[in-house]
Amino acid sequence: MLDVITIGRASVDLYGQQIGTRLEDIGSFAKSVGGCPCNISVGTARLGLKSALITRVGNEQMGRFIREQLAREGVETKGIATDTERLTALVLLSVEAEGVSPMIFYRTDCADMALDEDDIDEAFVASARAIVVTGTHFSKPHSAAAQEKAIRIARAHGGKVVFDLDYRPNLWGLAGHEAGFERYVASDAVSAKYKSVLADCDLIVGTEEEVLIAAGEADIQSALRTIRSLSSGTIVLKRGPMGCIVYDGPIPENLEQGIVGKGFPIEVYNVLGAGDAFMSGYLRGWLKGEAHATSATWANACGAFAVSRLLCAPEYPSWEELTYFLEHGSTHRALRKDADLNHLHWATNRRREIPELMALAIDHRSQLEDLCAGDERKLARLPAFKKLAVKAATQIAAGRAGFGMLIDDKYGRDALFAAGTLNDFWIGKPIELPGSRPLTFEFSQDLGSRLTDWPVEHCIKVLCYYHPDDPDELKQLQTEKLRSAYEAARKVGREILVEIIASKHGTMDDGTVARALNELYDAGLKPDWWKLEPQASRGAWSAIDAVIEARDRYCRGVVLLGLDAPQETLEAGFTAARTSRKVKGFAVGRTIFSEAAKAWLNGTMSDDAAVADMATRFGALVSVWQRLREVEAA
């Protein structure tokens, strides 16, 4: 059974990435899902509710983006219809100043506003404990009829009805296209429509302006009393930075005597989407049977996250993040500057789960260049060889999850394009200059500009030759470089894998790699993945597990590297690694491709034979890994 179904707008938000400037002067945009009910469906899902959305999207790339992103967020999407005649709505937004966010709605005859009664399935609506209807979708007769049908079904089956007043005057034709940020224009027609819905509502939520339009009154106390005369439902009055007041009975003479939750003084960065975050937090409490003061506190906290960050739905907190904030607070008024909260936000809202990873590494540059020995014809053939490696890896993956590749930008462009067409196929790309110590980035030291054109699914991989007994000056240079890579990854929203090789520059014992990881955690690094050498003993893996679990329990885990070791040696390393709780797979290269590369570059092996050879070797390692996993499970 679903907890909540939201109904109405579903758009693609294009947020200006430059802050403090006019929308006319924005140079680049960040894309996310948007629209009040769409945002609420994401916000409630992140807080642990089983949510769904009823809407329409276009039969094009933006409509598919909304559907796919909601699925990633855990939102049930079977209530989303595809409109073959209309386009998905778009919204352009910017942050011009504190509390000032110009926006343009591209919604002329858009898909979601074509919602009608045929889109409302009785069994689907009846499967939810509550539905959320939204103000904008009462602006057209057919979409209003759709919501009214959903209300009748919900009430007939014992479901709750929530009304998010969601008033945008220009979406009712009461303001110009440039007035998307306009909050209030009086209208008897809008008020009459809102009032016709109130009697059926169990929870009514809106800002002061929205309460005024819902009641058709000129002052807030009269408006609240008018709503109360029409509905016995709980009324939640949103007051922006002052939090909210809840009225669950008669409206008091002193409006401050309603129920309030805890407030959170924070810097206001962007007000757009804060109300949808607020509603998500309130619904989490309300549908879980919490007291109104608790629900209001959670709502205020979720709103605080939203106004302190740039986007709408992507910035809403997970339940773990919200719980941490409620327990610990923050030393930052600008929550987006809180490193602990940012890490929690990132780690608990990743695009997908990857419980296991078996990767073929073909990101080698210097090793393959050495095989070419300066022969320009061979060097020119390296991109084609890397495409063959993709074929080999995909043969073994056979469309299954848990597989991937490491591929470089230098010779692997064609291979990256080939791998990029595969669903659920993990791709990591290196940024280090091969062999550099201290660590240097390849191509440019300006990672920010380089990473902006990477696909969002691609994981940054950075290799560092780091030993905990290195001189302090060298370690400082190394950690500073790793830190810059980590910060760039978080800034542009990419995962990062940090590969540490210690054995080439010092002696090794059971505590060497664990000490190295501790030092890197001390430097502020919390990578999504670690890539580590096979360890000689179970004790070494136990020490590594202890460090990762103590320092970052949200780390995806460890993948093993190969270092051109024979397959027998790797199998022994796999066996020891299976005792680790944090080792989740491997990313091996030269053990798989070296022989094929030599023969193919020398012209003694065909394309098909090279693919077959690499596939056999990769498949053998996969079989060993999976067999050990099965033994462990037994």
Side-chain angles (χ1 to χ4, degrees):
M1 187 170 188
L2 293 167
D3 290 306
V4 60
I5 296 174
T6 63
I7 306 172
R9 284 190 287 148
S11 61
V12 173
D13 285 353
L14 299 174
Y15 261 95
Q17 293 180 296
Q18 294 75 49
I19 307 303
T21 187
R22 304 182 308 157
L23 190 51
E24 292 91 330
D25 299 320
I26 294 295
S28 58
F29 295 85
K31 182 182 72 171
S32 67
V33 297
C36 170
C38 187
N39 287 338
I40 295 169
S41 73
V42 172
T44 49
R46 288 189 172 186
L47 294 176
L49 296 181
K50 295 178 181 178
S51 68
L53 175 67
I54 293 176
T55 191
R56 285 193 187 188
V57 296
N59 186 29
E60 21 75 353
Q61 291 87 342
M62 294 300 99
R64 289 192 288 275
F65 162 68
I66 290 175
R67 191 186 298 274
E68 291 170 10
Q69 182 59 33
L70 292 183
R72 281 190 286 267
E73 296 281 3
V75 177
E76 173 58 63
T77 61
K78 69 180 181 181
I80 302 176
T82 297
D83 191 316
T84 58
E85 298 180 5
R86 298 169 181 84
L87 292 170
T88 304
L90 303 177
V91 186
L92 272 61
L93 320 92
S94 70
V95 178
E96 187 172 302
E98 181 178 314
V100 180
S101 297
M103 55 200 304
I104 304 173
F105 290 100
Y106 286 76
R107 298 183 55 81
T108 302
D109 196 28
C110 65
D112 67 44
M113 286 306 300
L115 194 74
D116 64 26
E117 290 184 88
D118 290 340
D119 297 313
I120 307 300
D121 178 78
E122 180 169 2
F124 186 54
V125 173
S127 73
R129 296 170 57 208
I131 63 167
V132 178
V133 295
T134 50
T136 297
H137 265 59
F138 287 112
S139 64
K140 303 292 183 184
H142 49 276
S143 57
Q147 293 203 119
E148 288 159 0
K149 178 182 177 182
I151 291 172
R152 292 194 300 271
I153 294 169
R155 292 188 65 82
H157 290 272
K160 300 291 186 181
V161 177
V162 181
F163 188 6
D164 188 315
L165 300 178
D166 176 40
Y167 181 47
R168 298 286 185 182
N170 74 335
L171 299 186
W172 287 78
L174 301 175
H177 291 307
E178 80 286 356
F181 191 59
E182 179 64 53
R183 296 295 187 178
Y184 184 76
V185 174
S187 167
D188 291 340
V190 175
S191 298
K193 189 62 190 177
Y194 275 40
K195 285 194 281 189
S196 72
V197 178
L198 294 173
D200 290 320
C201 298
D202 300 283
L203 178 65
I204 301 158
V205 181
T207 63
E208 292 187 1
E209 295 91 346
E210 289 168 340
V211 166
L212 292 175
I213 195 69
E217 301 287 355
D219 67 272
I220 195 65
Q221 188 162 62
S222 298
L224 289 168
R225 288 182 172 172
T226 295
I227 292 174
R228 176 55 73 230
S229 71
L230 297 169
S231 172
S232 61
T234 299
I235 304 170
V236 181
L237 177 66
K238 298 186 291 185
R239 301 191 301 170
M242 295 185 294
C244 68
I245 302 180
V246 182
Y247 303 100
D248 200 26
I251 304 303
E253 290 292 333
N254 181 356
L255 294 183
E256 299 296 325
Q257 292 177 351
I259 303 166
V260 298
K262 180 182 176 181
F264 303 93
I266 46 87
E267 174 197 272
V268 175
Y269 188 62
N270 172 35
V271 297
L272 298 176
D276 305 333
F278 176 97
M279 175 68 96
S280 301
Y282 200 91
L283 287 173
R284 162 72 200 218
W286 189 66
L287 290 172
K288 292 289 185 180
E290 300 287 348
H292 288 308
T294 300
S295 299
T297 296
W298 294 355
N300 290 339
C302 289
F305 276 104
V307 300
S308 187
R309 294 169 174 168
L310 177 59
L311 306 179
C312 290
E315 313 290 26
Y316 297 170
S318 64
W319 179 245
E320 295 93 330
E321 186 183 0
L322 177 62
T323 301
Y324 179 91
F325 177 63
L326 293 171
E327 291 177 355
H328 301 281
S330 175
T331 58
H332 296 269
R333 286 179 59 85
L335 299 184
R336 67 188 177 280
K337 297 180 180 179
D338 188 310
D340 291 334
L341 286 175
N342 286 341
H343 178 62
L344 268 176
H345 183 74
W346 171 264
T348 57
N349 293 302
R350 290 186 173 111
R351 288 174 65 87
R352 59 178 168 136
E353 294 298 317
I354 308 177
E356 185 175 53
L357 180 59
M358 295 165 285
L360 194 165
I362 193 70
D363 60 323
H364 303 70
R365 284 88 77 208
S366 60
Q367 296 91 341
L368 287 169
E369 288 168 348
D370 290 343
L371 283 179
C372 295
D375 187 324
E376 293 296 331
R377 290 174 300 176
K378 290 182 179 180
L379 288 168
R381 297 182 70 202
L382 289 180
F385 180 74
K386 297 201 173 198
K387 281 189 69 176
L388 297 180
V390 173
K391 287 186 177 181
T394 54
Q395 277 187 17
I396 301 304
R400 295 174 292 170
F403 287 85
M405 295 189 72
L406 286 169
I407 309 174
D408 61 291
D409 279 331
K410 187 173 184 180
Y411 298 111
R413 180 174 176 270
D414 293 341
L416 285 165
F417 286 160
T421 63
L422 306 171
N423 291 329
D424 292 325
F425 200 70
W426 181 89
I427 297 175
K429 296 200 296 189
I431 57 172
E432 77 280 351
L433 181 68
S436 60
R437 188 171 186 264
L439 171 63
T440 302
F441 299 142
E442 190 174 34
F443 304 129
S444 170
Q445 304 313 296
D446 178 13
L447 273 186
S449 59
R450 180 182 174 191
L451 296 175
T452 54
D453 62 3
W454 281 31
V456 295
E457 291 278 9
H458 286 189
C459 177
I460 300 162
K461 172 254 177 180
V462 55
L463 163 60
C464 184
Y465 295 98
Y466 185 101
H467 195 286
D469 294 332
D470 286 338
D472 288 343
E473 182 179 357
L474 174 60
K475 289 198 293 185
Q476 182 177 351
L477 291 172
Q478 299 269 64
T479 55
E480 286 176 355
K481 208 68 173 177
L482 286 170
R483 177 75 189 183
S484 67
Y486 174 72
E487 290 176 348
R490 291 295 172 264
K491 182 69 175 177
V492 299
R494 306 294 189 275
E495 292 200 6
I496 184 167
L497 176 152
V498 175
E499 179 176 355
I500 298 298
I501 296 179
S503 63
K504 290 186 178 296
H505 297 93
T507 58
M508 300 286 287
D509 59 35
D510 283 358
T512 301
V513 175
R515 286 195 293 132
L517 298 191
N518 241 331
E519 291 178 359
L520 296 174
Y521 278 121
D522 286 342
L525 292 172
K526 289 186 177 179
D528 301 277
W529 296 95
W530 293 103
K531 188 182 179 193
L532 303 176
E533 306 162 80
Q535 301 297 300
S537 72
R538 294 187 176 190
W541 282 120
S542 179
I544 290 168
D545 285 348
V547 170
I548 295 175
E549 289 168 351
R551 303 303 297 270
D552 180 17
R553 67 188 183 95
Y554 294 102
C555 177
R556 283 196 185 274
V558 175
V559 291
L560 299 174
L561 57 91
L563 288 178
D564 202 18
Q567 181 168 324
E568 298 77 15
T569 303
L570 279 182
E571 289 184 19
F574 283 8
T575 301
R578 288 307 309 192
T579 66
S580 165
R581 297 180 297 276
K582 302 309 293 183
V583 175
K584 304 299 182 183
F586 62 87
V588 174
R590 283 174 286 170
T591 304
I592 297 170
F593 72 74
S594 284
E595 294 303 318
K598 292 173 187 175
W600 187 85
L601 287 169
N602 287 326
T604 60
M605 181 179 281
S606 68
D607 289 359
D608 289 345
V611 170
D613 185 80
M614 289 187 283
T616 297
R617 295 172 189 270
F618 184 41
L621 288 179
V622 168
S623 296
V624 169
W625 181 260
Q626 292 179 331
R627 184 175 69 250
L628 290 170
R629 180 188 61 192
E630 291 166 2
V631 169
E632 180 187 23

